[in-house]
Amino acid sequence: GLDYNRVALVLAVLEKRIGLRFSTTDVYMNVAGGLRLDDPSCDAAIAMALISTQKDIPIPEDLIVFGEIGLAGECRSVTGVEQRINEAERLGFKRIGLPKKSIDKLKKRSREIELCPIRSVYDLLKLAEN
């Protein structure tokens, strides 16, 4: 259900920027429910899943991440940030990892959910380790 080229890009960025080695292993990715995902905002979630697997760190159940990953490892803004945050709150998530630039553009209001800024894949690694 994932675009092969996007997964390959995320793998290459994680190898280059963080030093994780995927080239010596087989990588299988699946989307539950048979969905087809082609939105670049899934890049951060793909990266988080790969980091979790390689480092053997479980992703917290109350955490959700989104954002597009660029070739330099930066996390880029995506569309519909406010809607994504509202839906994550409704579904019971307590923390959201999202691009730093998206947080800066949000309307200031109190939220029950913690917004964790992601500037690059390094921040994803820190988020996975916390």
Side-chain angles (χ1 to χ4, degrees):
L2 293 169
D3 179 20
Y4 172 82
N5 294 321
R6 293 222 64 86
V7 174
L9 177 124
V10 172
L11 285 167
V13 168
L14 291 176
E15 280 204 9
K16 176 71 175 173
R17 302 295 169 202
I18 300 180
L20 299 178
R21 294 289 164 234
F22 295 100
S23 55
T24 59
T25 61
D26 292 330
V27 175
Y28 296 95
M29 306 267 332
N30 186 35
V31 178
L35 296 174
R36 178 89 181 122
L37 299 178
D38 55 4
D39 185 2
S41 67
C42 298
D43 291 354
I46 293 169
M48 193 72 152
L50 291 167
I51 290 168
S52 168
T53 299
Q54 195 74 352
K55 294 281 191 178
D56 199 23
I57 302 169
I59 298 172
E61 291 182 12
D62 67 344
L63 174 66
I64 186 171
V65 296
F66 62 85
E68 181 179 2
I69 303 294
L71 286 174
E74 77 278 11
C75 190
R76 299 180 186 155
S77 296
V78 295
T79 60
V81 172
E82 196 73 48
Q83 290 171 310
R84 293 172 197 265
I85 292 171
N86 292 338
E87 189 63 18
E89 276 184 313
R90 191 183 72 73
L91 292 171
F93 289 97
K94 302 294 181 211
R95 297 187 302 156
I96 299 179
L98 68 160
K100 168 83 168 83
K101 290 180 181 179
S102 296
I103 293 175
D104 296 340
K105 295 177 185 176
L106 287 175
K107 298 173 188 167
K108 302 291 183 209
R109 66 181 182 106
S110 63
R111 299 180 188 276
E112 293 181 18
I113 201 163
E114 178 187 352
L115 302 179
C116 306
I118 301 171
R119 292 173 191 82
S120 69
V121 290
Y122 300 107
D123 291 331
L124 283 173
L125 179 61
K126 289 177 195 172
L127 199 56
E129 292 174 342
N130 289 337

